[in-house]
Amino acid sequence: MEHALLISVSDIPGTLYQLTKVFADHNANITYVDIIHRPSQEVQVYFEFRLDGELAAVFTDLKKISNVRDVESAPPFSGIYGKRIVVMGGGAQVGQVALGAIAEADRHNIRGERISVDTIPLVGEKELAAAVRAVVRLPRVRLLVLAGSLMGGEITHAVEEVRQKGLVVISLNMAGSVPDAADLVVTDPVQAGVMAVMAVADTAKFDILRQQKQRY
């Protein structure tokens, strides 16, 4: 069963080791970790994990650690924000893609899905290439939409790298070599946003694998 815990601790060396040792002792499989820094010295560590045994035993052992201040149960992010779609590129194009994606996500989320849309208006080959590569380090991201009027060079190499790691990439029909490297090319930015959501939604009948290397 999947669980999530938010643990308040003192910010001292060795704390993360002590926490993860408790999970290991209970044969819990940690799937996600985040460290939340506060202005004060106390920090919070958020864990998502799978556990076949009793959660109460994990609670008890965590509270035995001297620098643990509090342990509280929390709903996993997957049940709140769910699958993530990231849209990056020029501000105007990003806004139009987000318009389509948010409208379509609302339709599916009402039916029980959890799909969130993240945006970052960004320009510059170096900056965009770094951002594309960083997407695969973000949790729960299922698809990237590149929205701009000209992208190529190092951005194209970054797209090829993240696609090899399993990330689906949709590109607007733009100048440059990025459209040739993407899984799908869509001319209308609003439609690109809609198709991005349909590609990740379990409640949609749209198989992006059957659309690979198509242009619309």
Side-chain angles (χ1 to χ4, degrees):
M1 182 179 289
E2 188 175 10
H3 301 279
L5 292 178
L6 189 62
I7 307 168
S8 299
V9 299
S10 301
D11 191 9
I12 59 177
T15 299
L16 188 60
Y17 165 75
Q18 294 179 69
L19 296 176
T20 55
K21 186 178 184 302
V22 171
F23 289 106
D25 290 343
H26 289 273
N27 202 30
N29 183 27
I30 298 172
T31 56
Y32 178 67
V33 181
D34 193 14
I35 300 175
I36 307 163
H37 287 273
R38 303 296 186 191
S40 63
Q41 205 173 18
E42 190 174 276
V43 300
Q44 290 182 308
V45 186
Y46 172 79
F47 287 95
E48 289 185 4
F49 57 97
R50 294 187 180 92
L51 178 70
D52 294 330
E54 291 294 328
L55 183 61
V58 178
F59 259 90
T60 300
D61 287 350
L62 286 171
K63 289 181 177 180
K64 289 179 182 177
I65 300 173
S66 60
N67 54 320
V68 168
R69 302 291 177 254
D70 189 32
V71 182
E72 57 183 294
S73 182
F77 281 142
S78 58
I80 302 174
Y81 294 105
K83 307 161 190 170
R84 297 170 69 185
I85 293 171
V86 176
V87 186
M88 66 175 66
Q93 293 96 331
V94 165
Q96 290 300 298
V97 173
L99 178 67
I102 291 169
E104 183 70 9
D106 182 63
R107 186 170 72 88
H108 292 280
N109 288 346
I110 287 173
R111 296 158 62 189
E113 279 275 7
R114 285 293 182 270
I115 299 171
S116 55
V117 181
D118 299 340
T119 63
I120 175 169
L122 196 62
V123 296
E125 180 181 346
K126 181 180 178 181
E127 291 78 7
L128 275 165
V132 169
R133 291 187 172 101
V135 168
V136 292
R137 300 199 300 269
L138 295 173
R140 304 180 317 284
V141 174
R142 297 284 294 275
L143 191 146
L144 169 66
V145 183
L146 290 173
S149 55
L150 171 62
M151 292 186 193
E154 191 60 30
I155 305 170
T156 302
H157 296 315
V159 169
E160 292 169 345
E161 290 173 18
V162 297
R163 286 188 65 235
Q164 289 177 358
K165 295 178 180 178
L167 183 68
V168 175
V169 180
I170 293 178
S171 169
L172 294 189
N173 194 7
M174 66 178 86
S177 56
V178 159
D180 295 330
D183 290 283
L184 179 66
V185 179
V186 184
T187 300
D188 183 351
V190 175
Q191 183 184 4
V194 171
M195 295 178 78
V197 172
M198 291 177 64
V200 303
D202 293 331
T203 49
K205 295 181 179 180
F206 178 77
D207 187 354
I208 197 167
L209 294 177
R210 297 177 62 181
Q211 308 297 323
Q212 275 195 328
K213 298 302 178 182
Q214 296 292 321
R215 291 178 180 250
Y216 294 97

